[in-house]
Amino acid sequence: MSQTSTAPAPTGSSAPAPRRGERARRLPNWSPWAVFLGAAAVVGVLWPVFDLNIALFVLYTVVLGTLAVYLLTRTVEGPRRATDRLVTCLVVSAFGLAMVPLVSLVWEVVSRGAARLDGEFFNSSLVGIVGEGGGAYHAIMGTLIITALTTLISVPIGLMTAIFLVEYARGRLKRAITFLVDVMTGIPSIVAGLFAYALFAIFFGPGIRLGVMGAIALSVLMIPVVVRSAEEVLKLVPNELREASYALGVPKWRTIVKVVIPTSIAGLGTGVTLAIARVVGETAPLLITLGITNATNLDAFDGRMATLPVYAYYQLTQPGVPPQFATDRAWTAALVLIILVMGLNVVARLISRFFAPKTGR
Amino acid sequence: MAKRIDVSDLNIYYGNFLAVENVNVSIEPRSITALIGPSGCGKSTFLRSINRMHEVIPGGRVEGKIVMDGQDLYGADVDPVDVRRQIGMVFQRPNPFPTMSIYENVAAGIRLNNKRMRKSDLDDLVERSLRGANLWNEVKDRLNRPGAGLSGGQQQRLCIARAIAVEPDVLLMDEPASALDPISTLAIEDLMADLKERFTIVIVTHNMQQAARVSEQTGFFNLSGVGQPGRLIEFNPTEKIFSNPDQKATEDYISGRFG
Ligand SMILES: Nc1ncnc2c1ncn2[C@@H]1O[C@H](COP(=O)(O)OP(=O)(O)OP(=O)(O)O)[C@@H](O)[C@H]1O
Ligand SMILES: [Mg+2]
């Protein structure tokens, strides 16, 4: 079993490739962890000397550990595996770095908001509250109503636009609409709010505040998101299914309603839910169009309404004296908002799980 | 009710590209007509123009005449949807509706067109179609399972059942057996022999033996070069095509000689 002359000869003469039978030297799997522990210990010893803080401690440990792992692997296992380990370390560090803001944000909001996450917060408004107590019932209801209205406006328009783009539009018209939708995606939310305000001010005069105004402002933001996601999902429906339906003598519109949409319903539902999650936390447009109120107003066609993001904003910026109680309410409002968005994401996942076409036997 | 199809001076375009040129042919009722020819010569294109599926493709258009029992299929007052109700199609790749069960797939032609039908009648129709497609025994216990859960060959027969359930006059099949094993292929060929009692069948195939086995008439399409339109070179009874064709090109193609 000797090597024949046709087999590629080892290129580098300084580092002969390990022959078959001869075991390449390998570090045990736990060695990188051990190296990092060692690095942490070294940096820990130096802590008092250089007067470190926790962030610097982690930074130095990661840098030192990565270097040590690289050098150790290079001497024991060779350059290829060393590069592999180095890149692994970099990728994991980048991931850790990306997680820092997320985890610390959730941690901060939960720890500060949990204090007022009580029955009263969900059951009472701010009417007659000075200082302690009070809740965000009116703001929670406001957010739910405005979001529902926004969805009611945006989903039909968005879905139909997407269907038009994918199934009917051709050539220049299609490009024009796609371009406009792209532009709409980039509209700053404050501009959407100003648009709705200006629109209603024409009819009702300046200073107007209405729930529907907020819903319209949010629709300007939500429609392009719905169009985009629905378009992508509809494009995924194979053309063969449409042709199969046409070949049975089914007209185009009925093919869309009964074949294309049912096939893509999971993706459409997910897209819509995520689009709702996108706009539920919008603040700026609601600040202009809804204003804020302390009392419960469930009528979107009559006067100011409170919503969670705006509520949190005002509790934080105009807390009254002492500020502590209002600040607590602001954090709890933020927490409720996060829970709401997370709930929507879970719903989106469930939708895509349960409505996906089944292929099981 | 099987019908006769007369094609005259047919040119088929994709945008400005002339894909098939000057086809003249008569397709007999209650018989199987096979179309053969090298890849890209326009067999599928021609087949799809018969039931007006060609114009579904952006830029697809047709010149000339296709007449089915005296009715001009491309007449100004003819609705392509009506044409497709009379001329069914089975595609090269099986394409059952993924959201529907086996039962619903077969009933799709009725259900999607919102035709009212009593449950018992529909059950009968589904059973009859599945028996017709030689699939009933394999699926009768799991009619409510998804159609996409069948094997490729079973899916293809499901698509045939779906196509014959709407009782068209003509059935077009584009390489229906190209992805199937010999057993399923034979099942489909037997099926075609049964179906030709009731339908006019046009089949595209790359399999010479298959064309020779099942068809009465055979048409040979060919290309004179890349970018040139495909033409119907020869159309004759199958026996003649395979024993003593009129054209040299046909003979070369059938015997596997080129250039
Ligand atoms: N959607 C399309 N757009 C533009 N040109 C097309 C389209 N489909 C097919 N063609 C062209 O039309 C010609 C005929 O294609 P067609 O699909 O009819 O060939 P075919 O004979 O069915 O080939 P095969 O045996 O490989 O299925 C080819 O030159 C092809 O490139
Ligand atoms: Mg083809």
Side-chain angles (χ1 to χ4, degrees):
Chain A
M1 289 295 239
S2 63
Q3 286 195 342
T4 60
S5 58
T6 53
T11 43
S13 53
S14 57
R19 291 261 164 77
R20 217 186 318 170
E22 185 184 319
R23 240 141 137 256
R25 282 197 293 166
R26 285 268 177 279
L27 287 168
N29 277 340
W30 47 261
S31 56
W33 302 106
V35 171
F36 272 95
L37 263 182
V42 171
V43 179
V45 168
L46 294 180
W47 190 318
V49 183
F50 291 104
D51 191 21
L52 300 173
N53 58 28
I54 181 76
L56 282 177
F57 170 74
V58 173
L59 180 70
Y60 289 157
T61 306
V62 168
V63 171
L64 189 66
T66 306
L67 267 178
V69 166
Y70 178 72
L71 291 176
L72 179 70
T73 318
R74 196 179 165 99
T75 46
V76 179
E77 297 186 336
R80 189 175 60 79
R81 299 209 118 232
T83 315
D84 182 33
R85 286 254 159 82
L86 177 67
V87 173
T88 307
C89 287
L90 289 180
V91 169
V92 172
S93 316
F95 167 73
L97 199 63
M99 291 305 286
V100 168
L102 182 65
V103 170
S104 66
L105 184 144
V106 170
W107 172 253
E108 190 81 3
V109 174
V110 169
S111 61
R112 294 210 196 194
R116 280 302 321 277
L117 202 62
D118 48 27
E120 191 185 1
F121 191 81
F122 290 97
N123 283 320
S124 61
S125 67
L126 276 183
V127 176
I129 301 291
V130 198
E132 202 172 354
Y137 170 74
H138 58 314
I140 295 173
M141 289 313 285
T143 286
L144 293 181
I145 291 170
I146 297 299
T147 311
L149 255 171
T150 309
T151 311
L152 220 60
I153 299 172
S154 312
V155 169
I157 297 180
L159 280 189
M160 286 194 219
T161 309
I163 289 173
F164 177 73
L165 281 177
V166 175
E167 305 285 341
Y168 291 97
R170 296 260 131 79
R172 200 175 282 168
L173 183 60
K174 178 173 181 162
R175 277 202 300 280
I177 295 177
T178 309
F179 176 71
L180 289 179
V181 170
D182 281 349
V183 171
M184 259 177 103
T185 320
I187 289 182
S189 59
I190 186 76
V191 175
L194 287 171
F195 159 75
Y197 179 78
L199 182 69
F200 276 76
I202 296 172
F203 300 107
F204 298 96
I208 179 78
R209 298 277 190 280
L210 285 181
V212 273
M213 283 168 67
I216 286 179
L218 291 188
S219 297
V220 173
L221 299 171
M222 184 166 163
I223 287 171
V225 182
V226 174
V227 173
R228 268 292 131 122
S229 66
E231 204 188 342
E232 293 309 318
V233 170
L234 290 174
K235 274 197 221 151
L236 285 180
V237 176
N239 238 341
E240 280 121 52
L241 294 183
R242 298 188 180 90
E243 296 200 334
S245 177
Y246 297 152
L248 291 170
V250 182
K252 183 165 188 169
W253 67 272
R254 208 178 267 153
T255 300
I256 294 169
V257 174
K258 295 206 165 177
V259 174
V260 177
I261 291 182
T263 307
S264 53
I265 191 76
L268 294 177
T270 309
V272 166
T273 320
L274 293 179
I276 297 174
R278 269 284 296 113
V279 298
V280 77
E282 278 298 344
T283 318
L286 298 183
L287 215 53
I288 306 175
T289 53
L290 294 190
I292 187 69
T293 161
N294 286 340
T296 310
N297 173 16
L298 302 182
D299 186 352
F301 296 89
D302 181 28
R304 294 162 178 273
M305 282 175 89
T307 49
L308 276 172
V310 180
Y311 173 91
Y313 172 76
Y314 274 107
Q315 292 297 304
L316 207 60
T317 52
Q318 299 172 13
V321 267
Q324 184 52 43
F325 304 114
T327 314
D328 281 350
R329 285 193 293 265
W331 281 105
T332 309
L335 179 58
V336 172
L337 207 53
I338 290 184
I339 294 173
L340 214 60
V341 172
M342 253 158 53
L344 283 169
N345 278 286
V346 170
V347 168
R349 295 203 153 235
L350 291 180
I351 288 177
S352 69
R353 169 98 41 95
F354 287 121
F355 286 91
K358 293 162 190 66
T359 52
R361 301 193 172 210
Chain B
M1 238 272 291
K3 287 191 173 165
R4 163 191 188 84
I5 297 174
D6 292 292
V7 179
S8 42
D9 303 329
L10 191 71
N11 293 330
I12 312 175
Y13 294 86
Y14 289 101
N16 291 325
F17 172 61
L18 177 58
V20 178
E21 190 180 28
N22 199 22
V23 177
N24 288 284
V25 72
S26 287
I27 293 165
E28 296 295 325
R30 268 180 229 90
S31 73
I32 299 178
T33 302
L35 303 177
I36 59 173
S39 186
C41 65
K43 306 177 297 294
S44 300
T45 305
F46 171 65
L47 201 70
R48 289 166 59 92
S49 70
I50 298 179
N51 69 341
R52 296 194 66 168
M53 287 292 288
H54 178 66
E55 63 206 50
V56 171
I57 295 168
R61 66 200 165 83
V62 161
E63 287 167 359
K65 256 189 163 178
I66 301 183
V67 178
M68 183 168 77
D69 273 13
Q71 177 200 14
D72 182 3
L73 296 184
Y74 280 89
D77 54 344
V78 176
D79 183 355
V81 172
D82 282 335
V83 173
R84 292 178 203 138
R85 281 185 191 156
Q86 297 172 61
I87 308 182
M89 184 160 203
V90 175
F91 296 82
Q92 180 168 351
R93 285 204 302 177
N95 51 2
F97 297 119
T99 50
M100 300 184 191
S101 67
I102 294 172
Y103 183 99
E104 287 165 338
N105 259 289
V106 180
I110 310 292
R111 289 252 176 101
L112 292 182
N113 279 319
N114 267 2
K115 276 195 216 132
R116 297 259 154 258
M117 203 184 240
R118 259 191 286 131
K119 178 86 174 85
S120 57
D121 290 346
L122 196 60
D123 288 349
D124 279 351
L125 177 70
V126 168
E127 177 171 348
R128 226 180 321 129
S129 308
L130 282 170
R131 278 190 196 284
N134 208 352
L135 187 63
W136 173 252
N137 284 328
E138 285 157 75
V139 301
K140 62 171 184 265
D141 305 322
R142 46 169 168 162
L143 290 176
N144 291 319
R145 312 304 321 266
L150 296 173
S151 81
Q154 290 171 329
Q155 287 185 20
Q156 189 62 300
R157 279 178 282 152
L158 180 63
C159 292
I160 295 176
R162 181 176 68 186
I164 61 182
V166 293
E167 303 191 331
D169 304 314
V170 178
L171 194 57
L172 309 175
M173 302 173 115
D174 193 351
E175 301 183 39
S178 65
L180 303 185
D181 71 306
I183 297 175
S184 304
T185 304
L186 219 61
I188 286 184
E189 286 178 12
D190 288 346
L191 172 63
M192 283 191 284
D194 289 348
L195 292 178
K196 79 171 177 190
E197 308 293 323
R198 290 185 287 145
F199 306 107
T200 305
I201 297 181
V202 184
I203 173 179
V204 170
T205 178
H206 279 294
N207 182 333
M208 300 300 148
Q209 289 84 12
Q210 184 171 58
R213 274 196 302 265
V214 300
S215 68
E216 273 87 41
Q217 304 278 324
T218 298
F220 171 60
F221 278 86
N222 204 358
L223 274 177
S224 40
V226 180
Q228 300 288 316
R231 289 163 167 278
L232 181 61
I233 302 282
E234 179 167 356
F235 188 81
N236 266 322
T238 302
E239 263 170 51
K240 181 167 167 51
I241 288 254
F242 281 93
S243 57
N244 162 29
D246 289 338
Q247 302 288 330
K248 176 86 170 58
T250 314
E251 192 177 349
D252 288 350
Y253 182 74
I254 288 168
S255 57
R257 261 176 287 137
F258 295 97

